[in-house]
Amino acid sequence: MAMVGLFWIVEGDVYVGAKPFGRAPGVRLTPEGVVALGDGQDGLYLWEDVNALTVEGVPVRSLKRQAGAVLGTVMSLTLSVDMGGEAPPLMTVSVGSPDGDHELAAYVAAANGYSPTEVDLSRALLARLTEGAATMATTLAAMSEWGRAWEGGTPRAAEREALLRGWVG
């Protein structure tokens, strides 16, 4: 499993945000369409009906955010306060279709937020997936193939950006 931009790739499965567990909310991208997972948002939006795919509420990594994470860790250790019990923040994945926009929730996978470059490239990749069946199939297949072949954790930032650029085309 690995995080590449806003995507969590586990073997051949591609998720926007963190892979959900149990009934937690999540969004999976499959060759058939966008799958809404979790309580209150089960459903499948077929690619032929998806005309837009965007994401909002993405925490962007900044010096202030990193300092806050470090401060929280120090406070937790110093004061013996467990500050890690909260659920990660949610982001909103909007699926545009002829019958309107459908807002789906997905947990953020990056504890300190995502880099601005990875956010921009991920948004471009989501837009690319709506450009037509051939583009979606080729792009999603490349992401899934990489996930099946990848051994190890999340790649370093430069490699993640290179992967996203390649998938965006």
Side-chain angles (χ1 to χ4, degrees):
M1 72 181 155
M3 184 179 64
V4 179
L6 301 181
F7 305 96
W8 193 260
I9 304 172
V10 182
E11 296 176 4
D13 297 335
V14 179
Y15 298 88
V16 180
K19 177 184 177 184
F21 292 97
R23 297 299 303 159
V27 176
R28 182 173 171 208
L29 306 176
T30 70
E32 294 77 31
V34 179
V35 180
L37 304 167
D39 284 336
Q41 64 175 30
D42 293 337
L44 169 66
Y45 302 92
L46 299 174
W47 285 116
E48 62 196 42
D49 298 328
V50 175
N51 56 34
L53 195 54
T54 60
V55 63
E56 299 300 326
V58 178
V60 178
R61 187 177 312 135
S62 67
L63 186 55
K64 182 178 177 181
R65 181 179 295 278
Q66 289 174 332
V70 170
L71 180 61
T73 301
V74 170
M75 287 178 59
S76 178
L77 293 172
T78 304
L79 302 175
S80 299
V81 176
D82 180 16
M83 298 184 74
E86 295 181 25
L90 289 168
M91 55 187 172
T92 302
V93 180
S94 181
V95 181
S97 69
D99 63 339
D101 289 342
H102 307 274
E103 292 189 347
L104 309 174
Y107 282 116
V108 169
N112 294 326
Y114 301 91
S115 77
T117 301
E118 286 186 82
V119 171
D120 291 343
L121 288 168
S122 296
R123 285 182 168 147
L125 182 53
L126 287 169
R128 179 166 173 70
L129 291 172
T130 65
E131 291 177 356
T135 300
M136 177 280 305
T138 302
T139 304
L140 199 54
M143 295 172 77
S144 295
E145 183 178 315
W146 177 86
R148 282 189 293 276
W150 177 253
E151 293 181 16
T154 297
R156 294 203 170 276
E159 187 176 351
R160 293 191 309 266
E161 290 176 14
L163 285 165
L164 290 166
R165 282 187 179 91
W167 295 330
V168 169

